[in-house]
Amino acid sequence: MINKIIERTVKWDQVVLKLPVFKAIFTAMQQTLPLLTISVYLQLIINLFLKPDAFFIRLFHLSIKVPMLMQLQDLSFLLDLLVLMLFSAIYTGTYLSSRHVFQTTLPIITNFFGYIFFINR
């Protein structure tokens, strides 16, 4: 029984990974991974150490005043936005290229700047 489930799962995995949608997702994830790593670690440092209600500040009863905290939070937000914008642009370009669409400039630009218009609603 378990062997049949594993065999079916492997077959579905092989079928799904051949689809252009998932190939484009994996390519976009691989290319945005370094920037995403920087963004995650920046968020972690801000939330654990630099905020006034951060975990280590509360745990050890410290009072640290970081004059540039708001700028760091804005930088972190912009970095997250940049990761999403790049992911959508790379995904769109890769997917359309796999579908043999050669004029990809407008969809890529639209998806790249779509997050800015969505955030500023």
Side-chain angles (χ1 to χ4, degrees), residues 60-108:
F60 297 115
H61 303 291
L62 302 173
S63 69
I64 296 177
K65 305 259 191 253
V66 180
M68 300 177 65
L69 180 64
M70 293 306 289
Q71 292 173 348
L72 279 175
Q73 288 177 339
D74 291 340
L75 176 71
S76 175
F77 172 73
L78 291 175
L79 195 58
D80 290 341
L81 185 63
L82 181 66
V83 168
L84 287 173
M85 291 167 66
L86 285 175
F87 178 81
S88 67
I90 293 169
Y91 171 74
T92 303
T94 306
Y95 180 72
L96 290 178
S97 295
S98 70
R99 291 291 190 172
H100 305 294
V101 176
F102 297 109
Q103 296 185 2
T104 60
T105 308
L106 184 62
I108 288 173

Side-chain angles (χ1 to χ4, degrees), residues 12-54:
W12 276 103
D13 187 46
Q14 291 172 349
V15 169
V16 166
L17 290 179
K18 291 180 183 176
L19 295 174
V21 172
F22 291 103
K23 284 183 180 180
I25 288 172
F26 291 138
T27 302
M29 289 174 92
Q30 286 174 349
Q31 292 182 358
T32 57
L33 185 65
L35 193 58
L36 181 63
T37 305
I38 293 169
S39 175
V40 166
Y41 278 113
L42 182 64
Q43 285 279 353
L44 190 64
I45 289 170
I46 288 172
N47 289 331
L48 286 179
F49 298 107
L50 299 178
K51 280 187 175 180
D53 61 341

